[in-house]
Structure formats: structure tokens, C-alpha cells
Amino acid sequence: MHQTILVLDFGSQYTQLIARRLRELSVYSEVLPFNASLERIRSKHPAGIILSGGPKSVHESGAPRCEPGVLELGIPVLGICYGMQLMTDLLGGRLSQSSLREFGHAQVSVSHGATRLFAGVPENLRVWASHGDCVAEAPPGFTVAATSTSVPIAAMENQARGLYAMLFHPEVVHSDSGLDILRNFAHGVCGCRGDWTIASFIEEATARIVKQVGTGKVVCALSGGVDSTVAAMLIHRAIGDRLTCIFVDNGLLRMDEAEQVRKRFAEKLKLPLEFVDASELFLSRLAGITDPEQKRKIIGATFIDVFEQRASELGHFDYLAQGTLYPDVIESASVLGPAVVIKSHHNVGGLPERMKFTLVEPLRDLFKDEVRRVGYDLGLDREFVVRQPFPGPGLAVRVIGDLTRSRLDLLRRADKIVAEEIRKAGWYEKVWQSFAVLLPVQSVGVMGDARTYEYTAAVRAVDSLDGMTADWARLPHDLLASISSRIVNEVRGINRVVYDISSKPPSTIEWE
């Protein structure tokens, strides 16, 4: 049984990052909602608890609050930003609105004699802050562990009770020694051994699948991406040919992708594969649909129709396998009341009630980079493991506006050029995603002596760790010039190329 540190989520955009950083330290971590019951928390037998940051002020109406008993469990607790403010409020300290709100870089000085949390950390740190409130008076029994240029208490601790807090984010790369501070908490304070590894995950996941499935049969919706492939390989490792994979060609794939998938899985990986060409059905149902959310819902519903029909033709299955990842699980659970729908077509909770399968989701505790490491350990080729993420609805979210076969073909040719040039320049593995988008915008151009009136393609390339946040990639101008030149010269129907320099947030990675 691995030691676990729980992260209670108060709505910070960095919550998942805290969990990821702990796993980098080989400490297993889970994210729970802020209002998780004491019973649920105890059932996880945590070695430590972290209270995340959050966008609200503690005294604001509707501000999230955990059960006060969380601080009385005798388990070490670390409060980060909002977590520190909440800890202060719950334990009788005093908050005040900071005269100088800190958003961005801040300078912190570690107090002499501060121990454990800041052991081996330089006295002066440049850190990432994001708060409007500050701690004016620490709760009884706490000592000041660090100060900053604008707040008197940047970190505090009550070592006797195992309670620690800081007003900055150690989990982000912008904070000096942030990983060292988290290591001090996980290893030094909580006593974690750091024994959670990908190798141990594979053995445990295989055993869990064997126990869950028993003598049953599993059908897997194989998308051709890394997630569903690794899930299928784990299940195949556990139960062999009692797994059947179904791949549905929805007509929204990249150039030659359907045939590549068929060869890779059936011939190379030897996975039991059923191939269904449903492209005509998908495109007929999507004809004339321009609303992005409606597109996603139609694609999801059509996929289920096709998948369900083929599965019933193949006989009886007891379980449905999905490549659900941990970010899908977290995003699908509301943190602060009803979540705003950013996009549909997540794996989690997308099954209609009529589908009586029990789910097998061997990757639901992993982040994307961890899935890739599992893929390596299972023997997948590097070229496939580092394959960039591809959206579930395929090119439907990259053809803005009406979906027609001709417009999809335009995008396929442009996207192929983007991929070829990015690979040739050695940038494919440096960026999280890179692709082309076809815009419903036509503009005047000149080809030879003739004027044209053709479509515009946008090129998108982003840097990211897990897709939760992203920054636009600073591709070399020569590379962008090559991409643009090839697209306008080789793809008849596109005469203009633009480069998307938006970050997430506020934009999304995909355009729809």
C-alpha cells in the first residue's frame, strides 16, 4: 500500500500541478473536493493533506471551507495561499486585506530557525504569489517561517501539530526551490518513502484488472491515441484475448490515419481489433451543423450508436474499457458548485443508461506524462508514445463552421504539411501540440496573374505540461515561413496562413 498525500481542491488553477509535483517525488497523490467528508479522508489513510489555493477570499460569501476537523486529524497539513488563509481563519488567527496585492513574482525571506519545511532552502527566494488577503496575525502556537516585501507573514508553522502554510505557490516552476519545499513536506514532515513508481503501477493495475474482470469479456473503444492504446495494452496483458478492441473511422481523422491505425494495432501490437468505417454516417449527421457544442454532442452520440451496434454483433461483453485519465476525472467533478461546461465529449460519465457495461478504466489515476511512461515500459515505440494529443471529436473542432468533405480534405492537406515541417525542424517533441485550423474566412490573394478568393488556415503550436494550461510556442520564423509557403503553394483553396499567439487561459488549445 503506497503512502498517499491528499490535495483538497479549493478551485486553484494549480491544484492538479500540486498532485503532479508530488508524483514527481514518487509520492502518490490524489485530489479531492474541498468539502470531502472526514470519513472519506480517513478512508484514504493519508500521510499528509494539502489545502490548495483558490480564487475567492475566505470571508467572501460562498467561499469554500473544508471541515474544521481536517486540522484535528493528527495528520500533517500544508496550506497554500487560500489554504493558508483558511487555516488562519479556522484556528483563530487574523486576516486582513493586503495593502499591496501580490500577483506574480514576489521576494520571500526565510526566517532564521525555520525548520523542516524550509530545510536546505536558500534564505531569499523568488516565488510566485497570487493573493489579495494576507495573514495579519498568526493563530496561537504558530511561528513566522518567512516574510515578504509586502506581507509580514509569508509562511507560518506549528511544528508540534504538524501544521504548515505559505502565501505563495511552491508547485509552479516560477517559485525558486518549490520542489524542495514540497519534498521537505512529503518526505521530511509526512515521512513518505517515495516508493510510487510506474513499474509498481503496471503490476498493481494488472492485478486490479484481473480481480475486477474475473472471467468476463472486455470491449475497448480504441481511438488510436496514446491513452486508449496504453489502456488496451494493460488490459490485454491482464486478460489476453478476452479483450476485443473496436476502432471507428468517423471521417474526421488526419491524412491516412485510419489505415495507419489498422496496421499498427492489428499487425504490430497484435491487439484483437475490429475496424468499422462509419465516415458517411458521421458526415451526414454533421451536415450543416456549425455550433461547436452541437458538433461534439452529435459525434459522441453517433460514436456510441456505431460502437454499440458493432459490439452487439460481436456477442456479449461484460465490461467497457476506456482511456480515462486523472485530469478527466478531476475536471468532471465540480469544485465550486455547478461547473461551467467548457466542452463535452470527455470520457467520464458520457455513457447512456441503456449501455449496461461496467467500466474498466486502468489509467484513471494517471496524468498524461505518466501514461506515456507506462507506454514506454510496456514496449510501445517511442514515435507512438510521444505522439501529440488529438481531440476526441477529431478534425471537427479544427474546421470552424460547416463540416463538408471538401473542407475536411483541405484541412487534412494543410495539417499534414504542418506536421511534416514541425518534425523536420526537430520541434515535434518540443511542443505539446501543433496543428492547422481551417477558418470560415475567405480573403483576396494573388496566384500568378490571377486574383483568388480562398480560405485562411491558422497554425497553432503550444507548450504545456498536461494541457490544463498552455502558452503559445515561439516557433522560429524560418519554420513558420516554410509552413506558410508550402500550404499556400500546395493546398489549392487556401491562400493565407496566420499564427495563433493565444495562451490558455484565456483561450483554449483547440479553437472549438
Side-chain angles (χ1 to χ4, degrees):
M1 184 77 175
H2 296 296
Q3 295 161 306
T4 299
I5 290 183
L6 299 179
V7 182
L8 299 191
D9 182 11
F10 291 88
S12 169
Q13 61 179 317
Y14 303 128
T15 297
Q16 289 193 37
L17 202 51
I18 300 171
R20 286 175 50 80
R21 291 287 180 258
L22 291 168
R23 293 188 186 191
E24 287 174 24
L25 298 168
S26 298
V27 175
Y28 184 69
S29 59
E30 281 189 37
V31 176
L32 295 183
F34 68 90
N35 56 0
S37 68
L38 291 180
E39 183 181 10
R40 185 179 180 191
I41 290 170
R42 282 195 194 97
S43 72
K44 301 284 185 180
H45 304 289
I49 297 171
I50 294 180
L51 312 180
S52 83
K56 291 184 177 289
S57 169
V58 169
H59 293 140
E60 190 177 330
S61 174
R65 300 175 79 84
C66 62
E67 289 201 35
V70 167
L71 304 178
E72 310 295 337
L73 292 172
I75 298 166
V77 179
L78 171 64
I80 295 176
C81 249
Y82 180 91
M84 174 172 174
Q85 296 161 17
L86 180 60
M87 186 183 289
T88 301
D89 193 59
L90 290 173
L91 296 177
R94 186 168 59 85
L95 297 173
S96 67
Q97 197 164 50
S98 178
S99 57
L100 180 62
R101 295 158 68 88
E102 287 187 322
F103 293 100
H105 281 114
Q107 293 293 331
V108 164
S109 298
V110 177
S111 304
H112 291 293
T115 56
R116 304 191 81 176
L117 200 61
F118 295 99
V121 171
E123 287 187 7
N124 295 301
L125 301 173
R126 189 167 183 253
V127 300
W128 190 259
S130 178
H131 62 89
D133 292 345
C134 68
V135 176
E137 186 179 322
F142 279 76
T143 58
V144 177
T147 61
S148 81
T149 49
S150 60
V151 295
I153 307 175
M156 63 183 191
E157 54 187 34
N158 183 329
Q159 293 189 43
R161 296 181 62 184
L163 302 178
Y164 301 81
M166 61 190 67
L167 212 52
F168 57 90
H169 291 274
E171 69 273 21
V172 303
V173 294
H174 311 296
S175 289
D176 294 344
S177 301
L179 197 60
D180 294 327
I181 294 169
L182 289 175
R183 181 184 289 108
N184 286 341
F185 179 70
H187 291 183
V189 175
C190 300
C192 292
R193 296 181 298 270
D195 58 357
W196 189 80
T197 64
I198 291 301
S200 66
F201 169 81
I202 291 174
E203 293 306 319
E204 289 166 9
T206 303
R208 279 197 301 269
I209 294 165
V210 170
K211 183 178 179 182
Q212 180 185 2
V213 173
T215 58
K217 294 174 68 179
V218 179
V219 63
C220 176
L222 197 66
S223 71
V226 175
D227 305 339
S228 64
T229 300
V230 173
M233 292 183 75
L234 273 173
I235 295 166
H236 194 244
R237 183 179 192 263
I239 65 169
D241 288 345
R242 284 186 288 122
L243 166 73
T244 298
C245 299
I246 297 177
F247 176 82
V248 177
D249 180 0
N250 58 14
L252 303 168
L253 303 174
R254 290 166 288 196
M255 186 83 77
D256 303 322
E257 188 168 13
E259 188 56 32
Q260 289 169 7
V261 167
R262 190 203 299 257
K263 287 183 177 177
R264 178 183 297 120
F265 294 102
E267 297 175 15
K268 195 165 187 179
L269 297 179
K270 306 298 183 186
L271 288 174
L273 179 68
E274 289 288 326
F275 188 91
V276 183
D277 183 353
S279 53
E280 290 295 339
L281 176 63
F282 276 85
L283 293 182
S284 65
R285 289 189 180 181
L286 288 164
I289 304 298
T290 58
D291 178 71
E293 188 63 13
Q294 202 175 349
K295 283 183 188 176
R296 288 176 178 271
K297 286 178 178 174
I298 289 171
I299 292 165
T302 305
F303 173 82
I304 287 170
D305 289 345
V306 173
F307 180 84
E308 188 180 29
Q309 180 181 339
R310 186 62 184 133
S312 66
E313 291 168 356
L314 291 169
H316 173 74
F317 292 95
D318 307 285
Y319 298 91
L320 171 66
Q322 291 190 150
T324 308
L325 302 193
Y326 201 37
D328 298 331
V329 176
I330 298 172
E331 279 194 338
S332 297
S334 173
V335 175
L336 301 175
V340 175
V341 175
I342 299 173
K343 56 187 178 184
S344 307
H345 205 68
H346 265 309
N347 286 329
V348 177
L351 294 172
E353 286 185 12
R354 70 172 188 271
M355 293 183 75
K356 301 301 182 184
F357 294 118
T358 301
L359 289 180
V360 180
E361 297 173 308
L363 307 179
R364 67 179 285 120
D365 293 332
L366 297 188
F367 290 100
K368 188 79 175 189
D369 59 318
E370 294 169 334
V371 173
R372 288 187 167 129
R373 279 155 48 203
V374 172
Y376 277 129
D377 282 16
L378 289 176
L380 275 177
D381 292 342
R382 175 177 176 78
E383 180 183 351
F384 182 74
V385 174
V386 299
R387 183 178 185 259
Q388 294 177 359
F390 188 61
L395 298 181
V397 295
R398 295 178 182 173
V399 172
I400 312 303
D402 198 14
L403 277 172
T404 64
R405 193 173 288 278
S406 61
R407 295 189 75 214
L408 282 162
D409 286 342
L410 274 183
L411 178 59
R412 283 190 184 96
R413 286 151 55 202
D415 190 69
K416 186 169 185 276
I417 289 170
V418 172
E420 287 173 351
E421 291 299 314
I422 291 275
R423 284 185 185 278
K424 189 167 72 175
W427 275 81
Y428 186 82
E429 292 185 30
K430 294 180 183 178
V431 296
W432 173 260
Q433 267 176 289
S434 52
F435 53 89
V437 179
L438 187 69
L439 305 184
V441 176
Q442 292 176 277
S443 64
V444 174
V446 178
M447 292 281 188
D449 294 326
R451 288 167 68 83
T452 61
Y453 190 62
E454 295 177 339
Y455 286 109
T456 300
V459 175
R460 180 80 158 139
V462 296
D463 295 317
S464 179
L465 280 173
D466 52 19
M468 301 305 299
T469 61
D471 193 14
W472 61 277
R474 273 61 171 176
L475 298 182
H477 290 182
D478 288 350
L479 173 54
L480 291 172
S482 299
I483 291 171
S484 176
S485 177
R486 281 195 62 192
I487 289 175
V488 297
N489 281 292
E490 297 176 29
V491 184
R492 183 64 59 87
I494 297 176
N495 67 357
R496 192 177 298 271
V497 176
V498 298
Y499 188 53
D500 182 349
I501 57 169
S502 311
S503 298
K504 176 187 178 179
S507 303
T508 54
I509 294 176
E510 300 291 344
W511 277 50
E512 287 197 341

